[in-house]
Amino acid sequence: MVGSDLTPGSNGENPKPNTDANPPSENDTTIETLARKVQDSLSVGKKHKFWETQPVGQFKDLGDTSLPEGPIEPPTPLSEVKQEPYNLPSMYEWTTCDIDSEETCAEVYNLLTNNYVEDDENMFRFNYSKEFLRWALRPPSYFKSWHIGVRVKVSKKLVAFITGVPARIRVRDEVVTKAEINFLCVHKKLRSKRLAPVMIKEVTRRVHLENIWQAAYTAGVVLPTPISTCQYWHRSLNPKKLIDVGFSRLGARMTMSRTIKLYKLPESTVTPGFRKMERRDVPAVTRLLRDYLRQFIVAPDFDEDDVEHWLLPTANVVDSFLVESPETHEITDFCSFYTLPSSILGNQNYSILKAAYSYYNVSTKTPLLQLMNDVLIVAKQMDYDVFNALDIMHNESFLKELKFGPGDGQLHYYLYNYRIKHALKPSELGLVLL
């Protein structure tokens, strides 16, 4: 995720179900409609001055079919890329954050835990574990120089953070090496210092130094210009706790006991050959995933190293399961989720909401509905409180049937320096960004 109005910390969706409202109609969620609403609601002085200077799709170009798809600006010769870091306000200095260092990782964890994404009512805040941060920031061929911090010169206190990691993305038939930008966070007391635009420019400069010219990111608000707009859906696994902490509410004419009964899941999975992924499964899972992702307009270009890093189970970070045919021992289906808890703010009884987020799921022989029901059963056995899923890929086919409810916010996907002519439906998107 990346900052919205360049006040990071309000940038992504810390998803909460919209228990009273109906999901928006398709017409309400088109990029064009969103863009018009945003432009209408902003005074001239508040339009996205920073983003209007960047090589991103601009609202004014929506619907202009004469513009070519692909890079917006050509690469600059590396000798012309700015060699020195951008200037910060005089009290602050750049630092490269070594996530391998226990001390530095703890500093980053504390900054994010206290200052990162909150919901609109300030009831929940993402709580990325140190293990999650190390997983998210150290994929194959990562660059330490892309883990950027800002410190106070005098005290050396870490007060801001932004990261990039390299990845390959396929847009139609074109494979593009890009940076995935994430964790843009500025200490709450420094939000007026305009650090975020400088940080975005600095991470962009460091990405360019590696001869990479495209990036992908998400935000919970509309910037120029989303390539797709998706919605989070939530499946209650521990309804009493979710209601007690204010994550969801009792439905009309519902009692707590009826609600608990409504969301009750079977004790054990039903699919023969359903088991946890192991290292020996990496080649088969890679083939399965690559075949599946070909059908989407935008999707990652995973190789075996990527699959081993992103999808091999890591305790309290990512869990992956597959179906191995009892007869042929062929790997036919795959499902995964990552763990991103939220701190519960101001509640005497609970401090953590344990949330699972649907990651990549592939169904070839087992119906996706059955596969995902088994995943819900496993997540419940592992004491998760809620299971979240975006309506991307084929997820829409199981959401209502498996008693997911729509969230109250949207997640917008963006590409930097790459134009896509028409906004994508969520079902045309095969990319999950952390």
Side-chain angles (χ1 to χ4, degrees), residues 16 41 176 198 200 228 236 275 284 298 327-328 393 419 422:
K16 216 165 63 164
S41 67
V176 180
V198 188
I200 292 170
S228 189
S236 177
R275 64 169 174 82
V298 173
E327 294 81 31
T328 66
M393 294 184 266
R419 181 185 292 110
H422 303 288

Side-chain angles (χ1 to χ4, degrees), residues 133-325:
L133 292 171
R134 290 196 173 109
W135 171 69
L137 296 177
R138 299 188 306 175
S141 305
Y142 76 96
F143 300 100
K144 281 187 180 179
S145 61
W146 292 9
H147 303 160
I148 304 168
V150 174
R151 293 187 186 278
V152 178
K153 278 182 183 174
V154 176
S155 66
K156 302 303 179 189
K157 180 180 171 68
L158 186 71
V159 293
F161 188 60
I162 190 170
T163 69
V165 295
R168 291 180 316 284
I169 189 175
R170 181 186 50 73
V171 182
R172 301 192 206 279
D173 297 324
E174 189 81 21
V175 175
V176 180
T177 300
K178 63 170 174 56
E180 290 181 358
I181 306 301
N182 205 347
F183 301 114
L184 171 52
C185 179
V186 174
H187 194 286
K188 287 179 175 180
K189 291 182 178 176
L190 302 179
R191 297 278 162 85
S192 63
K193 302 291 184 186
R194 302 296 292 163
L195 290 174
V198 188
M199 294 167 69
I200 292 170
K201 288 199 285 189
E202 179 60 19
V203 74
T204 303
R205 185 189 73 84
R206 296 191 192 193
V207 168
H208 287 169
L209 285 172
E210 303 298 339
N211 203 23
I212 295 172
W213 303 91
Q214 276 71 38
Y217 50 100
T218 59
V221 294
V222 181
L223 306 169
T225 298
I227 63 160
S228 189
T229 291
C230 313
Q231 186 166 29
Y232 268 112
W233 289 65
H234 314 279
R235 207 301 183 171
S236 177
L237 300 176
N238 187 349
K240 184 179 186 309
K241 179 176 174 180
L242 295 181
I243 290 166
D244 285 349
V245 302
F247 185 91
S248 49
R249 295 180 289 277
L250 266 181
R253 298 180 297 281
M254 285 293 281
T255 62
M256 185 66 81
S257 58
R258 283 175 66 192
T259 303
I260 291 168
K261 188 175 178 183
L262 174 70
Y263 289 114
K264 189 170 172 56
L265 286 158
E267 292 297 315
S268 54
T269 58
V270 300
T271 306
F274 184 90
R275 64 169 174 82
K276 195 166 187 170
M277 178 187 175
E278 299 171 15
R279 190 176 295 274
R280 64 188 168 95
D281 302 315
V282 166
V285 168
T286 305
R287 286 193 298 273
L288 197 65
L289 195 56
R290 286 182 66 85
D291 284 347
Y292 174 73
L293 291 173
R294 282 195 187 104
Q295 65 193 288
F296 303 107
I297 294 174
V298 173
D301 182 54
F302 281 147
D303 62 19
E304 288 186 14
D305 289 341
D306 299 314
V307 167
E308 182 172 332
H309 176 82
W310 291 118
L311 294 168
L312 199 59
T314 302
N316 299 313
V317 173
V318 62
D319 285 275
S320 299
F321 299 87
L322 49 79
V323 179
E324 179 182 0
S325 165

Side-chain angles (χ1 to χ4, degrees), residues 90-144:
S90 59
M91 290 175 58
Y92 306 101
E93 62 187 10
W94 296 111
T95 183
T96 298
C97 295
D98 180 3
I99 300 299
D100 290 330
S101 154
E102 183 58 39
E103 184 184 355
T104 305
C105 193
E107 285 184 288
V108 170
Y109 168 79
N110 288 327
L111 177 70
L112 294 174
T113 299
N114 294 314
N115 299 279
Y116 200 43
V117 181
E118 290 181 16
D119 68 303
D120 290 340
E121 288 88 36
N122 307 113
M123 295 168 67
F124 306 97
R125 186 189 301 128
F126 282 148
N127 188 334
Y128 291 91
S129 68
K130 289 184 230 176
E131 295 78 17
F132 188 102
L133 292 171
R134 290 196 173 109
W135 171 69
L137 296 177
R138 299 188 306 175
S141 305
Y142 76 96
F143 300 100
K144 281 187 180 179

Side-chain angles (χ1 to χ4, degrees), residues 302-367:
F302 281 147
D303 62 19
E304 288 186 14
D305 289 341
D306 299 314
V307 167
E308 182 172 332
H309 176 82
W310 291 118
L311 294 168
L312 199 59
T314 302
N316 299 313
V317 173
V318 62
D319 285 275
S320 299
F321 299 87
L322 49 79
V323 179
E324 179 182 0
S325 165
E327 294 81 31
T328 66
H329 299 290
E330 180 191 4
I331 308 298
T332 58
D333 308 276
F334 175 82
C335 51
S336 58
F337 58 86
Y338 61 88
T339 300
L340 176 45
S342 284
S343 300
I344 301 168
L345 309 178
N347 188 286
Q348 293 181 331
N349 300 319
Y350 301 101
S351 59
I352 287 289
L353 188 75
K354 191 175 179 185
Y357 284 74
S358 179
Y359 201 22
Y360 289 97
N361 310 305
V362 182
S363 155
T364 66
K365 295 287 196 294
T366 307

